[in-house]
Amino acid sequence: MNKRKAAPTCNCPTCKTPIAWSDRFPFRPFCSERCKLIDLGEWASEGHRIAGEPVCGEVPGAGPGPDQPRH
Ligand SMILES: [Zn+2]
């Protein structure tokens, strides 16, 4: 059992560093926890922006809801 397959590689989405898809990189596809957090931070900031705003009055079609009797 000397056959060793080379681990597939990919590039860190954050800093484009090539990493091996193996247990050596527990944060894959990111090269490090830092890059993972950066990426997650970007996602979170987008989500936070939406979640942080009151959406009650901004829902499209928030007029007559299902609770209101229709004509
Ligand atoms: Zn990276």
Side-chain angles (χ1 to χ4, degrees), residues 12-17 19 29-32 34-36:
C12 170
T14 301
C15 69
K16 312 298 182 197
T17 297
I19 65 161
F30 305 97
C31 68
S32 64
R34 191 166 145 253
C35 283
K36 181 185 174 184

Side-chain angles (χ1 to χ4, degrees), residues 4-26:
R4 272 193 83 182
K5 261 165 105 177
T9 59
C10 69
N11 292 339
C12 170
T14 301
C15 69
K16 312 298 182 197
T17 297
I19 65 161
W21 197 269
S22 71
D23 290 339
R24 288 174 137 199
F25 295 90

Side-chain angles (χ1 to χ4, degrees), residues 25-55:
F25 295 90
F27 302 105
R28 59 189 184 273
F30 305 97
C31 68
S32 64
E33 184 178 18
R34 191 166 145 253
C35 283
K36 181 185 174 184
L37 291 178
I38 289 173
D39 191 76
L40 288 179
E42 288 180 4
W43 276 96
S45 62
E46 284 187 22
H48 181 75
R49 187 170 57 82
I50 296 169
E53 292 179 1
V55 294

